Amino acid sequence: MSISRDTLLQSLDALLQPERFKDYGPNGLQVEGKAQIARIVSGVTASRALIDAAIAQQADAIFVHHGLFWRGQDGRITGWMKQRLQRLLAHDISLFAYHLPLDAHPQWGNNACLGQALGWAADARFGEQELGCVASVDYPSAQALAAHIERVLGRSATLVVPPGAAPIRRVAWCSGGAQGYFEAAIAAGADAFVTGEISEPQAHLAREMGVAFIAAGHHATERYGAPAVAAHVAALHGLEHVFIDIDNPA
């Protein structure tokens, strides 16, 4: 069974509502491929490795969180950009990419699915464009919380623990590179903040404000939304779907 490329785009746009977001690049169809789509491959980033894997899967379309085009980048089609585009165009594969809309979706988004994987039920949102989530939890310490996250995500995390041992009753999280949301998480009443990355200022802020900071990996915290959305839309239209997780230590 197949559907038109335009029908798939309309379905994704209706679900993710990209018009609601101020984003860092174009959401939706980034590279136009064949007119009919029967098989979708999803992944986190439109890397050459993912594109090659999608070609091997005979995909008609790729659905990702991190696409090819970003605000302020060099617009020349050379080097790695040429290599990626050349493969997509040679095999007539469409590339669909949704950034902040995929983070934010309340059921199928990165933050919602990350919370589900970790066993947290969000009861509040915070931060710019309300991308972040907050939930009530019960961990005896920040170390216990970090250990739980490491078990679920299958990788080590960076933990900054403020002075003094305290239980974690409220956790805030925002996937990927959301370290800039830390102060908003503190204002939202969090005892701990979980995201993908940490920058130098956040370590000092965690110690001074008494709120734990856990950086669990950009890729590791954002590998849930793309397959969830793609599987949902594929099921709606009777399409085939395969998720390909390209390992990334970052």
Side-chain angles (χ1 to χ4, degrees):
M1 189 171 177
S2 68
I3 61 172
S4 73
R5 181 186 61 243
D6 290 343
T7 298
L8 178 57
L9 177 59
Q10 290 166 7
S11 186
L12 290 168
D13 278 350
L15 181 70
L16 297 172
Q17 300 180 301
E19 69 280 358
R20 293 177 47 227
F21 298 88
K22 296 177 181 179
D23 215 333
Y24 309 103
N27 290 298
L29 181 64
Q30 289 197 347
V31 179
E32 182 179 300
K34 61 191 68 172
Q36 290 294 121
I37 293 171
R39 174 175 287 191
I40 304 171
V41 159
S42 65
V44 177
T45 299
S47 63
R48 192 171 74 182
L50 179 65
I51 294 168
D52 285 343
I55 292 168
Q57 289 285 334
Q58 299 182 317
D60 304 308
I62 299 173
F63 177 83
V64 296
H65 180 48
H66 302 133
L68 291 181
F69 307 106
W70 300 97
R71 186 175 64 210
Q73 76 183 53
D74 189 334
R76 290 174 290 186
I77 309 303
T78 60
W80 62 268
M81 179 65 84
K82 177 199 169 183
Q83 293 295 319
R84 296 183 192 184
L85 280 173
Q86 189 175 53
R87 285 161 164 78
L88 291 170
L89 296 172
H91 293 271
D92 214 12
I93 297 174
S94 291
L95 175 66
F96 296 88
Y98 291 82
H99 187 231
L100 296 185
L102 185 59
D103 287 321
H105 192 273
Q107 183 174 4
W108 310 112
N110 281 320
N111 287 318
C113 290
L114 178 62
Q116 291 165 20
L118 292 166
W120 305 335
D123 56 32
R125 309 285 289 210
F126 74 95
E128 184 182 357
Q129 303 185 76
E130 296 191 331
L131 296 179
C133 298
V134 189
S136 293
V137 295
D138 187 10
Y139 296 95
S141 65
Q143 290 88 342
L145 171 60
H148 169 65
I149 292 168
E150 290 178 338
R151 284 193 299 270
V152 173
L153 300 188
R155 58 157 289 158
S156 61
T158 298
L159 169 64
V160 180
V161 184
I168 306 299
R169 303 296 186 220
R170 295 285 285 172
V171 63
W173 71 97
C174 193
S175 66
Q179 59 267 48
Y181 276 42
F182 189 29
E183 290 181 82
I186 295 170
D191 301 311
F193 177 58
V194 181
T195 187
E197 302 178 8
I198 185 169
S199 297
E200 193 271 349
Q202 279 85 48
H204 300 291
L205 192 59
R207 293 168 184 148
E208 292 169 17
M209 297 298 294
V211 177
F213 191 109
I214 299 173
H218 195 131
H219 176 88
T221 58
E222 292 195 329
R223 65 185 179 209
Y224 297 98
V229 167
H232 173 69
V233 172
L236 284 178
H237 296 287
L239 308 178
E240 297 179 49
H241 166 248
V242 178
F243 172 56
I244 298 175
D245 191 13
I246 304 297
D247 181 63
N248 188 330

